[in-house]
Amino acid sequence: MRTSTRARAGQYAALLAYLLFLAFPLLWLLSTAFKPPRELADLHPTWIPRHPTLGNFRQAFGEQPLLHAALNSLLAALGAAVIAVLIGTPMAYVMARRRSWLTRAATGWVVVSQAFPFVLLIIPLFLVLRNLRLIDSLAGLVLVYVVWSLPFALWMLTGYVRAVPAELEEAAAVDGAGRLRTLVSVTAPLLAPGIVATALFAFVTAWNEFFFALVLLKTPGRQTLPVVLTHFIGAEGVADLGPLAAAAFLATLPSLLVFALIQRRITGGMLTGAVKS
């Protein structure tokens, strides 16, 4: 009994240490965002600002169009997430339920596509978008994000589809339900956690992406939030640390809020839909 209590205490201690390790960058960013310039230049920084101020936030919004850039990022991230899910869900269903050379080739493409660094893709993508006249547009950026996130989204959704028992679909067919009715009433509710998790992955990936947005968007009014954050770094590489920390902290909030709102949906049991149906 005593050994079990000690082991559980050790597990909780390790979990707490891990959570603190994960939260350290965000906590330090929050602390920096509220520090005045004098404290930022202190050689012995403290966790809690001695004289907290909102001046860094006011300066950040005054120097850069953060709200407009955040709107651009939101449109690009939502568009990429929705399109990736709409395309990936039926493709993942076919890959999981139909075994043929075509589905094996598609699975191989998913695996191989993850091995290429995205730096190698920027020149072909730039040429394709230039021919489509989508350079320096949010539509072209959304197209790139969909292509970038779709392979991993397919990988995730295929695993969720395979976790759904095929016997449930067979039982619905025996009861007289057609293929479309079975997919909508039986399979889709069971895939809801996977679809939400995939959409979250695509959204967060597009929201935080920097390289493609930097190369493809040249007009200041169309730049996304990660690109605008670099404007707080001077020509000589010296960062305006206070406003940069304030803007970066605000840039992390949407991802945290989205995850907080749908995390219950992600962790919900996949068989809940089967009970309801």
Side-chain angles (χ1 to χ4, degrees):
M1 183 68 179
R2 183 177 301 176
T3 303
S4 177
T5 303
R6 290 179 179 178
R8 182 171 299 179
Q11 292 174 354
Y12 285 132
L15 178 60
L16 179 61
Y18 181 65
L19 292 177
L20 291 176
F21 173 76
L22 293 179
F24 173 79
L26 184 61
L27 294 177
W28 189 261
L29 185 67
L30 180 62
S31 174
T32 304
F34 286 97
K35 287 182 179 180
R38 180 175 298 180
E39 291 189 32
L40 291 175
D42 195 346
L43 297 179
H44 303 284
T46 59
W47 270 96
I48 301 177
R50 292 186 292 271
H51 304 285
T53 178
L54 294 176
N56 292 326
F57 292 90
R58 289 192 292 266
Q59 184 177 349
F61 279 98
E63 292 181 357
Q64 301 296 335
L66 295 180
L67 291 179
H68 187 73
L71 179 61
N72 291 337
S73 292
L74 181 63
L75 293 176
L78 285 177
V82 171
I83 296 175
V85 167
L86 291 178
I87 297 177
T89 302
M91 290 180 64
Y93 182 84
V94 173
M95 291 172 60
R97 292 288 191 258
R98 299 285 186 267
R99 301 300 178 90
S100 65
W101 67 269
L102 185 60
T103 57
R104 288 193 293 270
T107 304
W109 167 74
V110 170
V111 175
V112 172
S113 64
Q114 300 302 301
F116 288 94
F118 60 85
V119 177
L120 299 178
L121 303 177
I122 189 60
I123 295 179
L125 285 174
F126 185 89
L127 295 177
V128 170
L129 292 179
R130 186 184 64 180
N131 294 333
L132 296 176
R133 297 183 180 180
L134 292 178
I135 293 293
D136 196 23
S137 68
L138 288 179
L141 188 63
V142 169
L143 180 61
V144 172
Y145 287 165
V146 171
V147 173
W148 184 28
S149 61
L150 188 58
F152 193 77
L154 276 174
W155 188 269
M156 291 179 61
L157 288 170
T158 301
Y160 276 97
V161 173
R162 288 175 178 169
V164 176
E167 290 77 8
L168 294 176
E169 298 179 0
E170 296 173 359
V174 171
D175 291 338
R179 172 63 65 179
L180 181 60
R181 177 62 183 275
T182 300
L183 293 178
V184 173
S185 302
V186 178
T187 309
L190 303 180
L191 291 179
I195 293 175
V196 172
T198 304
L200 175 62
F201 160 78
F203 177 88
V204 173
T205 300
W207 177 268
N208 295 325
E209 200 282 322
F210 169 75
F211 183 71
F212 290 133
L214 177 66
V215 175
L216 299 177
L217 299 178
K218 298 302 180 183
T219 303
R222 296 172 182 169
Q223 291 178 337
T224 58
L225 192 55
V227 177
V228 172
L229 290 179
T230 62
H231 297 171
F232 291 101
I233 302 177
E236 298 179 355
V238 179
D240 198 355
L241 192 56
L244 176 59
F249 174 73
L250 294 176
T252 62
L253 290 181
S255 299
L256 296 177
L257 291 176
V258 169
F259 181 79
L261 290 174
I262 67 177
Q263 58 88 20
R264 184 176 302 177
R265 189 64 172 173
I266 294 176
T267 57
M270 291 190 62
L271 293 181
T272 301
V275 176
K276 291 181 179 179
S277 60

